[in-house]
Amino acid sequence: MRHLIDFGDLNREEWDALYARASRMMDAPEQFIDACRGKVACSLFYEPSTRTNFSFQTAMLRLGGTVFGFADPSSSSVAKGETLKDTVKMVSGYADVIVMRTPWEGSAKAASLYSSVPVINAGDGGHMHPTQTMADLTTITRLRGRVDGLCLGLCGDLKNGRTVHSLIKAMAKFQDIKFFLISPRELAVPDYMRAFLRENSMWFTEVTSLESVIPQLDVLYMTRIQRERFVDPLEYERNKGVYVLTRRKLERARSDMLVMHPLPRVDEISIDVDDDPRAVYFQQARYGMFARMALLEHLALQPRQDSLPPVEIGTRPVCSNPRCITHTEHYLPPIVRRTGGVECCAFCDAALR
Ligand code: CP
């Protein structure tokens, strides 16, 4: 059974094949109107979404399939206390693929243990968002012709921004990538991401000033300060509005730099940037639909796996990350893995201390 929990689940050849397929879907969508005829996707959105939810739904409809699910868990038996395991076991009996977004880190991995059909991570808390990365890579490849050799500036809330974490993971599959990680010190990338960058010998430097590095960038990837992830509201107040990309700041950037953003934006890209030809974030959101079409076709046609291996029953969380799914679903097994000699939670990647 294949799932997409983390971009690391795909190797470079698989990604290249998915991109080629997404490109064909963009160029000749009429050739794919029956690609998933008879297939059903279930969309479980425990958190708000515009792009991811709607683009997955339209992707399945454009492939000839159908979609059911919820965009508000209070309309389902989750409101009566149903566990994630039971919800997933139920809907995997009805659907051919599950698309899932939650505020709990590691939840898609948890769901995959109990699902008879592929699970797609559509964002798990501040952890990962691999299908946004598919949209991002599709945009860069389509507009720049390549990903290898590029210099990317990732700017904003790099601590809580799951799109940034997934993109960094994906870039390990490409050659000669340089990262400028631009954030306030208290919103820098989590330790597990820094460990990942070092382990994969990726070039990166952490800075606080956008203006000082903008002339060097091929891609500027802006992100929102993720208000909903802050435990301390004062920390949010200190950091909101810290980066605002304006037309004036863009004057120092290369004429072919791409300005990207996973969206939604709040105030980090001024409206007057929208008409600059380098601003490609709305195009990026549309490309995401084609990337998701390619992924759905790849996963939804797999045979069901009705006999799943037994899963050990846990009794208490081993992970200290309070946003980890193991803190809300106590039956999850205490799975630990080693990364760079450090023991980590296999669900949310946090180091176990
Ligand atoms: N980029 C993204 O995930 O947007 P939504 O939250 O609207 O899905």
Side-chain angles (χ1 to χ4, degrees), residues 199 337-344:
E199 227 176 275
R337 58 175 183 74
R338 287 189 85 77
T339 303
V342 178
E343 287 198 327
C344 299

Side-chain angles (χ1 to χ4, degrees), residues 57-69:
Q57 292 194 33
T58 48
M60 195 48 150
L61 297 174
R62 284 170 185 273
L63 294 169
T66 50
V67 185
F68 74 101

Side-chain angles (χ1 to χ4, degrees), residues 242-254:
V242 64
Y243 299 111
V244 181
L245 181 68
T246 58
R247 252 188 191 268
R248 197 178 171 83
K249 285 182 194 162
L250 265 183
E251 284 170 12
R252 289 168 50 76
R254 290 184 187 156

Side-chain angles (χ1 to χ4, degrees), residues 48-53 101 129 132 162-163 262-264:
S49 166
T50 297
R51 279 144 292 275
T52 313
N53 194 5
R101 167 173 292 190
H129 193 349
Q132 177 62 49
R162 55 193 174 198
T163 63
L263 303 178

Side-chain angles (χ1 to χ4, degrees), residues 91-326:
V91 300
S92 83
Y94 307 145
D96 299 295
V97 61
I98 297 172
V99 180
M100 195 177 120
R101 167 173 292 190
T102 83
W104 311 295
E105 301 182 1
S107 53
K109 165 85 179 168
S112 71
L113 300 178
Y114 307 107
S115 177
S116 304
V117 299
V119 173
I120 298 176
N121 183 2
D124 59 336
H127 183 226
M128 293 289 157
H129 193 349
T131 69
Q132 177 62 49
T133 301
M134 295 181 63
D136 302 341
L137 293 179
T138 300
T139 305
I140 297 171
T141 313
R142 190 89 178 169
L143 300 180
R144 290 299 300 257
R146 66 189 163 92
V147 176
D148 295 313
L150 295 184
C151 178
L152 287 87
L154 309 181
C155 179
D157 184 351
L158 308 188
K159 176 182 174 187
N160 299 301
R162 55 193 174 198
T163 63
V164 164
H165 307 158
S166 279
L167 187 55
I168 291 174
K169 281 228 166 158
M171 286 298 175
K173 300 179 190 306
F174 295 87
Q175 304 296 316
D176 303 323
I177 301 297
K178 283 187 175 175
F179 279 124
F180 284 97
L181 304 178
I182 310 156
S183 73
R185 283 186 219 294
E186 57 188 340
L187 299 184
V189 288
D191 288 343
Y192 70 83
M193 286 311 316
R194 209 171 282 112
F196 178 86
L197 284 154
R198 293 201 176 110
E199 227 176 275
N200 287 277
S201 308
M202 297 169 80
W203 191 99
F204 73 100
T205 183
E206 296 183 77
V207 298
T208 53
S209 160
L210 168 61
E211 286 85 338
S212 63
V213 300
I214 202 169
Q216 301 179 60
L217 305 177
D218 297 302
V219 175
L220 172 58
Y221 193 95
M222 296 295 295
T223 63
R224 171 175 71 88
I225 307 295
Q226 310 264 313
R227 186 177 53 181
E228 68 277 23
R229 310 271 177 236
F230 282 76
V231 178
D232 175 3
L234 289 179
E235 190 183 31
Y236 173 71
E237 290 299 320
R238 275 196 302 276
N239 290 293
K240 71 175 186 192
V242 64
Y243 299 111
V244 181
L245 181 68
T246 58
R247 252 188 191 268
R248 197 178 171 83
K249 285 182 194 162
L250 265 183
E251 284 170 12
R252 289 168 50 76
R254 290 184 187 156
S255 59
D256 62 350
M257 185 186 80
L258 301 180
V259 180
M260 298 177 62
H261 192 309
L263 303 178
R265 78 172 141 186
V266 181
D267 55 6
E268 58 281 356
I269 299 183
S270 132
I271 304 281
D272 66 4
V273 171
D274 294 356
D275 295 327
D276 188 294
R278 291 169 287 189
V280 299
Y281 26 89
F282 295 116
Q283 220 169 331
Q284 178 185 352
R286 178 163 163 78
Y287 287 158
M289 178 181 69
F290 294 104
R292 290 176 176 120
M293 282 171 72
L295 181 68
L296 283 172
E297 182 198 43
H298 182 61
L299 293 181
L301 301 182
Q302 289 183 82
R304 302 177 54 80
Q305 193 179 332
D306 279 318
S307 55
L308 294 170
V311 180
E312 183 188 346
I313 299 173
T315 50
R316 62 186 174 83
V318 294
C319 180
S320 58
N321 170 10
R323 300 189 303 199
C324 178
I325 186 69
T326 57

